[in-house]
């Protein structure tokens, strides 16, 4: 056995993620709003980057040839402006103030009041003693976003050193405020408060709400009819009445930062039977490189550290601009492929959505599946059918008797139409729905029907039946 030191040369291949490549990947998967925030951060870190200001109307100019009639019009006097100018009469000239009509409704709309603000405003207008007002304020402060009281009466008595009678009186004051049902300690109390507020004196409805909400939710109408000794139609009437009530009276009030708007990253416009793809990057500032720092590299007397710093920041700025342009080009390619593959969906609706996976688009565009996944993640597209997430176009499907594939979203749309047209007195069960799809050439199991029905939020047969 030979012992000793040796020097060997080996050639290997490794895949290394450079910082520039990681930046390009990060830029690709950002939405337009996130990309704008990322660019703002880079503008603060890199002094070589600056925003390119584009003046409106700059660029192309077009001059119309002057006609003889136009020359004569140049000597015509605009008498309206002439008489408006009262300087010849010795009066001060009054300028025309034209209102700017570019303001939208959003400029005048602030956020809606929260539930607490709404209740406190009503409490300040109510006639109650100072002590009741203090207890009611404490109760309002312990109401959650759904409108329910989170603490018990005993806790309020202990915290405020008040009597149970005082707390109950203050709670009645809060429960009398708008929206009806606010300040309730349970679902039953919330619904009973709403029935009382509406002036509905229905003993059967009150009894069902007080102790049999679970049976009513499970659709056990026959059992409740036998229990109360009434026809099943009366239980159906009570169920319809309870469905008109709001189990969460506080959810209609907005909280801080709950208003969120979707800005589509891509806009599809149909022009003359063709779809025009517009990359919606209006919110993304246009970047350029500051020429002042470029002059540092050409100066011979500059410090080496200064040159290295400028070179590093210059390369980072150039790579960022290149990554943004590459992102725009990738989004256009992927969107063009989606438009070609899902043309029937764009023309006719969800029922014509085809099953699609990332590999199909990646092979057509010439990119990796991970690149297509990053290009479509967290991005929205505005189409003539509405605004969709780009991942919506990638859905699984089932095969039909013709050998083609049908997407899951198309099956859900068809199932919704079937259930909307069913007889409510004799609704369809899951097996009957599967048989209807089988007669249409789509083989689907009963469990798959139940799965899609749950995803659509459609209750089972016993809850859909009408008596």
């Amino acid at each position: 056995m030979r012992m000793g030191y040796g020097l060997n040369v080996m050639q290997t291949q490794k895949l290394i993620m450079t910082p520039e490549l990681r930046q390009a990947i990060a830029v690709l998967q950002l939405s337009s709003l996130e990309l704008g925030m990322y660019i703002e951060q880079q503008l603060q870190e890199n002094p070589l980057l600056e925003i390119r200001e584009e003046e409106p109307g700059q660029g192309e100019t077009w001059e119309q040839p002057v006609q003889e009639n136009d020359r004569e019009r140049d000597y015509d006097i605009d008498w309206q402006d002439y008489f408006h100018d009262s300087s010849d009469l010795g009066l001060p000239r009054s300028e025309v103030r034209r209102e700017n009509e570019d303001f939208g409704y959003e400029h005048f709309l602030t956020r809606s009041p929260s539930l607490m603000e709404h209740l406190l405003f009503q409490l300040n207008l109510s006639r109650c003693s100072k002590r009741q007002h203090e207890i009611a304020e404490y109760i309002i402060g312990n109401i959650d976003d759904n409108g329910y009281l989170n603490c018990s009466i005993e806790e309020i008595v202990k915290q405020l050193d008040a009597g149970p009678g005082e707390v109950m009186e203050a709670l009645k004051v809060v429960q009398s405020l708008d929206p009806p049902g606010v300040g309730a300690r349970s679902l039953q109390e919330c619904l009973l408060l709403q029935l009382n507020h509406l002036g509905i004196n229905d003993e059967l409805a009150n009894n069902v709400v007080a102790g049999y909400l679970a049976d009513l939710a499970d659709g056990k109408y026959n059992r409740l009819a036998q229990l109360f000794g009434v026809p099943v139609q009366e239980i159906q009437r009570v169920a319809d009445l309870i469905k008109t009530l709001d189990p969460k009276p506080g959810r209609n009030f907005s909280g801080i930062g709950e208003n969120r708007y979707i800005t589509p990253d891509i806009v599809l416009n149909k022009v003359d039977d063709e779809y025009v793809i517009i990359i919606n990057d209006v919110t993304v500032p246009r970047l350029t490189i500051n020429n002042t720092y470029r002059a540092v590299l050409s100066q011979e007397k500059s410090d080496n550290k200064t040159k290295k710093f400028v070179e590093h920041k210059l390369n980072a700025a150039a790579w960022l601009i290149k990554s943004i342009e590459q992102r725009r080009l990738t989004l256009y390619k992927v969107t063009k492929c989606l438009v070609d593959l899902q043309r029937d969906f764009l023309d006719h609706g969800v029922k014509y959505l085809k099953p699609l996976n990332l590999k199909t688009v990646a092979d057509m565009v010439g990119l990796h599946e991970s690149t297509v996944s990053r290009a479509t993640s967290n991005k929205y597209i505005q189409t003539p059918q509405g605004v969709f997430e780009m991942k919506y176009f990638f859905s699984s499907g089932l095969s039909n008797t013709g050998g083609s594939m049908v997407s899951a979203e198309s099956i859900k749309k068809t199932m919704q139409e079937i259930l909307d047209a069913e007889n409510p007195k004799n609704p369809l069960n899951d097996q009957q729905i599967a048989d209807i799809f089988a007669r249409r050439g789509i083989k689907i199991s009963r469990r798959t029907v139940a799965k899609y029905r749950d995803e659509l939020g459609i209750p089972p047969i016993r809850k859909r039946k009408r008596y």
Side-chain angles (χ1 to χ4, degrees), residues 20-47:
E20 291 81 6
L21 182 58
R22 288 197 296 267
Q23 184 188 51
I25 293 175
V27 168
L28 178 61
Q29 63 187 3
L30 294 177
S31 62
S32 58
L33 295 178
E34 294 173 343
L35 181 59
M37 297 172 60
Y38 179 77
I39 290 177
E40 292 293 337
Q41 179 182 358
Q42 295 298 318
L43 286 171
Q44 297 177 1
E45 297 177 358
N46 195 339

PDB file of all heavy atoms in Angstrom, residues 20-47:
ATOM      1  N   GLU A  20     -26.473  37.396 -10.139  1.00  0.00           N
ATOM      2  CA  GLU A  20     -27.271  37.968 -11.221  1.00  0.00           C
ATOM      3  C   GLU A  20     -28.408  37.045 -11.634  1.00  0.00           C
ATOM      4  O   GLU A  20     -29.530  37.486 -11.896  1.00  0.00           O
ATOM      5  CB  GLU A  20     -26.373  38.260 -12.428  1.00  0.00           C
ATOM      6  CG  GLU A  20     -25.371  39.394 -12.223  1.00  0.00           C
ATOM      7  CD  GLU A  20     -24.139  38.925 -11.463  1.00  0.00           C
ATOM      8  OE1 GLU A  20     -24.046  37.701 -11.213  1.00  0.00           O
ATOM      9  OE2 GLU A  20     -23.289  39.774 -11.114  1.00  0.00           O
ATOM     10  N   LEU A  21     -28.119  35.718 -11.677  1.00  0.00           N
ATOM     11  CA  LEU A  21     -29.156  34.757 -12.041  1.00  0.00           C
ATOM     12  C   LEU A  21     -30.241  34.686 -10.975  1.00  0.00           C
ATOM     13  O   LEU A  21     -31.437  34.604 -11.294  1.00  0.00           O
ATOM     14  CB  LEU A  21     -28.530  33.379 -12.260  1.00  0.00           C
ATOM     15  CG  LEU A  21     -29.482  32.271 -12.705  1.00  0.00           C
ATOM     16  CD1 LEU A  21     -30.179  32.643 -14.004  1.00  0.00           C
ATOM     17  CD2 LEU A  21     -28.730  30.944 -12.864  1.00  0.00           C
ATOM     18  N   ARG A  22     -29.833  34.746  -9.717  1.00  0.00           N
ATOM     19  CA  ARG A  22     -30.830  34.749  -8.647  1.00  0.00           C
ATOM     20  C   ARG A  22     -31.700  36.004  -8.715  1.00  0.00           C
ATOM     21  O   ARG A  22     -32.906  35.953  -8.459  1.00  0.00           O
ATOM     22  CB  ARG A  22     -30.136  34.662  -7.293  1.00  0.00           C
ATOM     23  CG  ARG A  22     -29.540  33.296  -6.996  1.00  0.00           C
ATOM     24  CD  ARG A  22     -29.240  33.148  -5.513  1.00  0.00           C
ATOM     25  NE  ARG A  22     -28.233  34.096  -5.066  1.00  0.00           N
ATOM     26  CZ  ARG A  22     -26.929  33.820  -5.019  1.00  0.00           C
ATOM     27  NH1 ARG A  22     -26.480  32.620  -5.399  1.00  0.00           N
ATOM     28  NH2 ARG A  22     -26.060  34.720  -4.598  1.00  0.00           N
ATOM     29  N   GLN A  23     -31.107  37.124  -9.080  1.00  0.00           N
ATOM     30  CA  GLN A  23     -31.881  38.350  -9.220  1.00  0.00           C
ATOM     31  C   GLN A  23     -32.864  38.249 -10.382  1.00  0.00           C
ATOM     32  O   GLN A  23     -34.024  38.678 -10.268  1.00  0.00           O
ATOM     33  CB  GLN A  23     -30.953  39.545  -9.427  1.00  0.00           C
ATOM     34  CG  GLN A  23     -31.677  40.887  -9.477  1.00  0.00           C
ATOM     35  CD  GLN A  23     -30.752  42.024  -9.869  1.00  0.00           C
ATOM     36  OE1 GLN A  23     -30.049  41.936 -10.867  1.00  0.00           O
ATOM     37  NE2 GLN A  23     -30.759  43.087  -9.075  1.00  0.00           N
ATOM     38  N   ALA A  24     -32.432  37.668 -11.494  1.00  0.00           N
ATOM     39  CA  ALA A  24     -33.327  37.512 -12.639  1.00  0.00           C
ATOM     40  C   ALA A  24     -34.505  36.606 -12.305  1.00  0.00           C
ATOM     41  O   ALA A  24     -35.642  36.861 -12.713  1.00  0.00           O
ATOM     42  CB  ALA A  24     -32.546  36.955 -13.833  1.00  0.00           C
ATOM     43  N   ILE A  25     -34.248  35.539 -11.542  1.00  0.00           N
ATOM     44  CA  ILE A  25     -35.331  34.640 -11.138  1.00  0.00           C
ATOM     45  C   ILE A  25     -36.290  35.350 -10.195  1.00  0.00           C
ATOM     46  O   ILE A  25     -37.521  35.194 -10.294  1.00  0.00           O
ATOM     47  CB  ILE A  25     -34.739  33.376 -10.488  1.00  0.00           C
ATOM     48  CG1 ILE A  25     -33.982  32.554 -11.537  1.00  0.00           C
ATOM     49  CG2 ILE A  25     -35.824  32.533  -9.838  1.00  0.00           C
ATOM     50  CD1 ILE A  25     -33.259  31.356 -10.968  1.00  0.00           C
ATOM     51  N   ALA A  26     -35.743  36.137  -9.274  1.00  0.00           N
ATOM     52  CA  ALA A  26     -36.597  36.864  -8.330  1.00  0.00           C
ATOM     53  C   ALA A  26     -37.449  37.912  -9.048  1.00  0.00           C
ATOM     54  O   ALA A  26     -38.626  38.099  -8.717  1.00  0.00           O
ATOM     55  CB  ALA A  26     -35.739  37.524  -7.251  1.00  0.00           C
ATOM     56  N   VAL A  27     -36.880  38.598 -10.040  1.00  0.00           N
ATOM     57  CA  VAL A  27     -37.630  39.611 -10.782  1.00  0.00           C
ATOM     58  C   VAL A  27     -38.736  38.967 -11.603  1.00  0.00           C
ATOM     59  O   VAL A  27     -39.836  39.512 -11.735  1.00  0.00           O
ATOM     60  CB  VAL A  27     -36.673  40.424 -11.681  1.00  0.00           C
ATOM     61  CG1 VAL A  27     -37.443  41.275 -12.684  1.00  0.00           C
ATOM     62  CG2 VAL A  27     -35.776  41.314 -10.828  1.00  0.00           C
ATOM     63  N   LEU A  28     -38.482  37.774 -12.136  1.00  0.00           N
ATOM     64  CA  LEU A  28     -39.461  37.117 -12.988  1.00  0.00           C
ATOM     65  C   LEU A  28     -40.726  36.745 -12.226  1.00  0.00           C
ATOM     66  O   LEU A  28     -41.834  36.864 -12.756  1.00  0.00           O
ATOM     67  CB  LEU A  28     -38.840  35.865 -13.619  1.00  0.00           C
ATOM     68  CG  LEU A  28     -39.757  35.021 -14.512  1.00  0.00           C
ATOM     69  CD1 LEU A  28     -40.257  35.838 -15.694  1.00  0.00           C
ATOM     70  CD2 LEU A  28     -39.037  33.769 -14.993  1.00  0.00           C
ATOM     71  N   GLN A  29     -40.584  36.295 -10.998  1.00  0.00           N
ATOM     72  CA  GLN A  29     -41.758  35.832 -10.261  1.00  0.00           C
ATOM     73  C   GLN A  29     -42.461  36.942  -9.492  1.00  0.00           C
ATOM     74  O   GLN A  29     -43.440  36.683  -8.797  1.00  0.00           O
ATOM     75  CB  GLN A  29     -41.354  34.732  -9.282  1.00  0.00           C
ATOM     76  CG  GLN A  29     -40.378  35.160  -8.204  1.00  0.00           C
ATOM     77  CD  GLN A  29     -39.892  33.987  -7.371  1.00  0.00           C
ATOM     78  OE1 GLN A  29     -40.242  32.846  -7.638  1.00  0.00           O
ATOM     79  NE2 GLN A  29     -39.119  34.275  -6.352  1.00  0.00           N
ATOM     80  N   LEU A  30     -42.013  38.185  -9.620  1.00  0.00           N
ATOM     81  CA  LEU A  30     -42.673  39.307  -8.964  1.00  0.00           C
ATOM     82  C   LEU A  30     -43.833  39.803  -9.812  1.00  0.00           C
ATOM     83  O   LEU A  30     -43.767  39.813 -11.043  1.00  0.00           O
ATOM     84  CB  LEU A  30     -41.688  40.452  -8.720  1.00  0.00           C
ATOM     85  CG  LEU A  30     -40.550  40.210  -7.729  1.00  0.00           C
ATOM     86  CD1 LEU A  30     -39.646  41.432  -7.678  1.00  0.00           C
ATOM     87  CD2 LEU A  30     -41.070  39.888  -6.344  1.00  0.00           C
ATOM     88  N   SER A  31     -44.907  40.226  -9.145  1.00  0.00           N
ATOM     89  CA  SER A  31     -45.998  40.887  -9.849  1.00  0.00           C
ATOM     90  C   SER A  31     -45.602  42.332 -10.161  1.00  0.00           C
ATOM     91  O   SER A  31     -44.541  42.804  -9.759  1.00  0.00           O
ATOM     92  CB  SER A  31     -47.269  40.843  -9.008  1.00  0.00           C
ATOM     93  OG  SER A  31     -47.082  41.549  -7.792  1.00  0.00           O
ATOM     94  N   SER A  32     -46.462  43.023 -10.882  1.00  0.00           N
ATOM     95  CA  SER A  32     -46.121  44.391 -11.280  1.00  0.00           C
ATOM     96  C   SER A  32     -46.008  45.317 -10.066  1.00  0.00           C
ATOM     97  O   SER A  32     -45.120  46.161 -10.004  1.00  0.00           O
ATOM     98  CB  SER A  32     -47.179  44.920 -12.251  1.00  0.00           C
ATOM     99  OG  SER A  32     -48.463  44.892 -11.655  1.00  0.00           O
ATOM    100  N   LEU A  33     -46.909  45.152  -9.084  1.00  0.00           N
ATOM    101  CA  LEU A  33     -46.828  45.986  -7.889  1.00  0.00           C
ATOM    102  C   LEU A  33     -45.593  45.657  -7.067  1.00  0.00           C
ATOM    103  O   LEU A  33     -44.903  46.556  -6.568  1.00  0.00           O
ATOM    104  CB  LEU A  33     -48.090  45.802  -7.048  1.00  0.00           C
ATOM    105  CG  LEU A  33     -49.398  46.279  -7.680  1.00  0.00           C
ATOM    106  CD1 LEU A  33     -50.572  45.994  -6.750  1.00  0.00           C
ATOM    107  CD2 LEU A  33     -49.335  47.759  -8.009  1.00  0.00           C
ATOM    108  N   GLU A  34     -45.297  44.365  -6.930  1.00  0.00           N
ATOM    109  CA  GLU A  34     -44.102  43.970  -6.189  1.00  0.00           C
ATOM    110  C   GLU A  34     -42.833  44.402  -6.910  1.00  0.00           C
ATOM    111  O   GLU A  34     -41.843  44.762  -6.266  1.00  0.00           O
ATOM    112  CB  GLU A  34     -44.112  42.457  -5.981  1.00  0.00           C
ATOM    113  CG  GLU A  34     -45.229  41.967  -5.080  1.00  0.00           C
ATOM    114  CD  GLU A  34     -45.312  40.457  -5.039  1.00  0.00           C
ATOM    115  OE1 GLU A  34     -44.737  39.799  -5.937  1.00  0.00           O
ATOM    116  OE2 GLU A  34     -45.954  39.917  -4.138  1.00  0.00           O
ATOM    117  N   LEU A  35     -42.862  44.368  -8.244  1.00  0.00           N
ATOM    118  CA  LEU A  35     -41.689  44.808  -9.008  1.00  0.00           C
ATOM    119  C   LEU A  35     -41.454  46.302  -8.822  1.00  0.00           C
ATOM    120  O   LEU A  35     -40.297  46.748  -8.728  1.00  0.00           O
ATOM    121  CB  LEU A  35     -41.882  44.483 -10.487  1.00  0.00           C
ATOM    122  CG  LEU A  35     -40.733  44.853 -11.418  1.00  0.00           C
ATOM    123  CD1 LEU A  35     -39.450  44.154 -11.005  1.00  0.00           C
ATOM    124  CD2 LEU A  35     -41.076  44.533 -12.866  1.00  0.00           C
ATOM    125  N   GLY A  36     -42.530  47.086  -8.761  1.00  0.00           N
ATOM    126  CA  GLY A  36     -42.365  48.516  -8.506  1.00  0.00           C
ATOM    127  C   GLY A  36     -41.728  48.795  -7.156  1.00  0.00           C
ATOM    128  O   GLY A  36     -40.855  49.662  -7.032  1.00  0.00           O
ATOM    129  N   MET A  37     -42.134  48.038  -6.121  1.00  0.00           N
ATOM    130  CA  MET A  37     -41.534  48.204  -4.799  1.00  0.00           C
ATOM    131  C   MET A  37     -40.080  47.754  -4.797  1.00  0.00           C
ATOM    132  O   MET A  37     -39.218  48.369  -4.156  1.00  0.00           O
ATOM    133  CB  MET A  37     -42.341  47.407  -3.780  1.00  0.00           C
ATOM    134  CG  MET A  37     -43.777  47.874  -3.621  1.00  0.00           C
ATOM    135  SD  MET A  37     -44.769  46.785  -2.576  1.00  0.00           S
ATOM    136  CE  MET A  37     -43.854  46.881  -1.043  1.00  0.00           C
ATOM    137  N   TYR A  38     -39.787  46.686  -5.538  1.00  0.00           N
ATOM    138  CA  TYR A  38     -38.406  46.197  -5.616  1.00  0.00           C
ATOM    139  C   TYR A  38     -37.508  47.218  -6.315  1.00  0.00           C
ATOM    140  O   TYR A  38     -36.353  47.435  -5.898  1.00  0.00           O
ATOM    141  CB  TYR A  38     -38.384  44.866  -6.359  1.00  0.00           C
ATOM    142  CG  TYR A  38     -37.012  44.262  -6.517  1.00  0.00           C
ATOM    143  CD1 TYR A  38     -36.384  43.611  -5.453  1.00  0.00           C
ATOM    144  CD2 TYR A  38     -36.330  44.334  -7.725  1.00  0.00           C
ATOM    145  CE1 TYR A  38     -35.126  43.060  -5.593  1.00  0.00           C
ATOM    146  CE2 TYR A  38     -35.069  43.786  -7.877  1.00  0.00           C
ATOM    147  CZ  TYR A  38     -34.478  43.140  -6.808  1.00  0.00           C
ATOM    148  OH  TYR A  38     -33.212  42.590  -6.949  1.00  0.00           O
ATOM    149  N   ILE A  39     -38.018  47.864  -7.344  1.00  0.00           N
ATOM    150  CA  ILE A  39     -37.220  48.862  -8.060  1.00  0.00           C
ATOM    151  C   ILE A  39     -36.975  50.078  -7.177  1.00  0.00           C
ATOM    152  O   ILE A  39     -35.882  50.667  -7.191  1.00  0.00           O
ATOM    153  CB  ILE A  39     -37.930  49.253  -9.373  1.00  0.00           C
ATOM    154  CG1 ILE A  39     -37.877  48.074 -10.359  1.00  0.00           C
ATOM    155  CG2 ILE A  39     -37.302  50.490  -9.988  1.00  0.00           C
ATOM    156  CD1 ILE A  39     -38.609  48.336 -11.653  1.00  0.00           C
ATOM    157  N   GLU A  40     -37.972  50.455  -6.390  1.00  0.00           N
ATOM    158  CA  GLU A  40     -37.778  51.573  -5.469  1.00  0.00           C
ATOM    159  C   GLU A  40     -36.664  51.264  -4.466  1.00  0.00           C
ATOM    160  O   GLU A  40     -35.857  52.139  -4.119  1.00  0.00           O
ATOM    161  CB  GLU A  40     -39.081  51.876  -4.726  1.00  0.00           C
ATOM    162  CG  GLU A  40     -40.184  52.435  -5.605  1.00  0.00           C
ATOM    163  CD  GLU A  40     -39.865  53.810  -6.136  1.00  0.00           C
ATOM    164  OE1 GLU A  40     -39.047  54.500  -5.503  1.00  0.00           O
ATOM    165  OE2 GLU A  40     -40.432  54.192  -7.183  1.00  0.00           O
ATOM    166  N   GLN A  41     -36.608  50.031  -4.029  1.00  0.00           N
ATOM    167  CA  GLN A  41     -35.540  49.633  -3.107  1.00  0.00           C
ATOM    168  C   GLN A  41     -34.180  49.687  -3.792  1.00  0.00           C
ATOM    169  O   GLN A  41     -33.185  50.138  -3.209  1.00  0.00           O
ATOM    170  CB  GLN A  41     -35.817  48.236  -2.572  1.00  0.00           C
ATOM    171  CG  GLN A  41     -34.737  47.720  -1.607  1.00  0.00           C
ATOM    172  CD  GLN A  41     -35.027  46.307  -1.150  1.00  0.00           C
ATOM    173  OE1 GLN A  41     -36.040  45.712  -1.517  1.00  0.00           O
ATOM    174  NE2 GLN A  41     -34.129  45.750  -0.356  1.00  0.00           N
ATOM    175  N   GLN A  42     -34.111  49.226  -5.042  1.00  0.00           N
ATOM    176  CA  GLN A  42     -32.845  49.263  -5.769  1.00  0.00           C
ATOM    177  C   GLN A  42     -32.409  50.689  -6.076  1.00  0.00           C
ATOM    178  O   GLN A  42     -31.205  50.971  -6.132  1.00  0.00           O
ATOM    179  CB  GLN A  42     -32.979  48.456  -7.075  1.00  0.00           C
ATOM    180  CG  GLN A  42     -33.207  46.969  -6.867  1.00  0.00           C
ATOM    181  CD  GLN A  42     -32.040  46.309  -6.154  1.00  0.00           C
ATOM    182  OE1 GLN A  42     -30.875  46.599  -6.446  1.00  0.00           O
ATOM    183  NE2 GLN A  42     -32.354  45.423  -5.225  1.00  0.00           N
ATOM    184  N   LEU A  43     -33.353  51.587  -6.288  1.00  0.00           N
ATOM    185  CA  LEU A  43     -32.989  52.984  -6.524  1.00  0.00           C
ATOM    186  C   LEU A  43     -32.330  53.612  -5.301  1.00  0.00           C
ATOM    187  O   LEU A  43     -31.466  54.488  -5.432  1.00  0.00           O
ATOM    188  CB  LEU A  43     -34.236  53.787  -6.909  1.00  0.00           C
ATOM    189  CG  LEU A  43     -34.794  53.566  -8.314  1.00  0.00           C
ATOM    190  CD1 LEU A  43     -36.139  54.248  -8.470  1.00  0.00           C
ATOM    191  CD2 LEU A  43     -33.823  54.093  -9.369  1.00  0.00           C
ATOM    192  N   GLN A  44     -32.711  53.160  -4.123  1.00  0.00           N
ATOM    193  CA  GLN A  44     -32.084  53.679  -2.913  1.00  0.00           C
ATOM    194  C   GLN A  44     -30.701  53.084  -2.675  1.00  0.00           C
ATOM    195  O   GLN A  44     -29.843  53.737  -2.091  1.00  0.00           O
ATOM    196  CB  GLN A  44     -32.984  53.393  -1.711  1.00  0.00           C
ATOM    197  CG  GLN A  44     -34.327  54.077  -1.766  1.00  0.00           C
ATOM    198  CD  GLN A  44     -35.212  53.712  -0.592  1.00  0.00           C
ATOM    199  OE1 GLN A  44     -34.819  52.960   0.291  1.00  0.00           O
ATOM    200  NE2 GLN A  44     -36.424  54.241  -0.580  1.00  0.00           N
ATOM    201  N   GLU A  45     -30.476  51.858  -3.134  1.00  0.00           N
ATOM    202  CA  GLU A  45     -29.203  51.193  -2.886  1.00  0.00           C
ATOM    203  C   GLU A  45     -28.169  51.471  -3.971  1.00  0.00           C
ATOM    204  O   GLU A  45     -26.973  51.472  -3.691  1.00  0.00           O
ATOM    205  CB  GLU A  45     -29.429  49.679  -2.764  1.00  0.00           C
ATOM    206  CG  GLU A  45     -30.311  49.281  -1.578  1.00  0.00           C
ATOM    207  CD  GLU A  45     -30.558  47.790  -1.537  1.00  0.00           C
ATOM    208  OE1 GLU A  45     -30.068  47.085  -2.454  1.00  0.00           O
ATOM    209  OE2 GLU A  45     -31.226  47.326  -0.601  1.00  0.00           O
ATOM    210  N   ASN A  46     -28.610  51.671  -5.197  1.00  0.00           N
ATOM    211  CA  ASN A  46     -27.686  51.849  -6.316  1.00  0.00           C
ATOM    212  C   ASN A  46     -27.755  53.289  -6.810  1.00  0.00           C
ATOM    213  O   ASN A  46     -28.757  53.719  -7.385  1.00  0.00           O
ATOM    214  CB  ASN A  46     -28.053  50.886  -7.452  1.00  0.00           C
ATOM    215  CG  ASN A  46     -26.933  50.760  -8.463  1.00  0.00           C
ATOM    216  OD1 ASN A  46     -26.058  51.615  -8.565  1.00  0.00           O
ATOM    217  ND2 ASN A  46     -26.951  49.679  -9.236  1.00  0.00           N
ATOM    218  N   PRO A  47     -26.695  54.093  -6.619  1.00  0.00           N
ATOM    219  CA  PRO A  47     -26.735  55.499  -7.060  1.00  0.00           C
ATOM    220  C   PRO A  47     -26.671  55.654  -8.575  1.00  0.00           C
ATOM    221  O   PRO A  47     -26.990  56.733  -9.082  1.00  0.00           O
ATOM    222  CB  PRO A  47     -25.503  56.116  -6.389  1.00  0.00           C
ATOM    223  CG  PRO A  47     -24.564  54.970  -6.182  1.00  0.00           C
ATOM    224  CD  PRO A  47     -25.420  53.769  -5.933  1.00  0.00           C
TER     225      PRO A  47
END
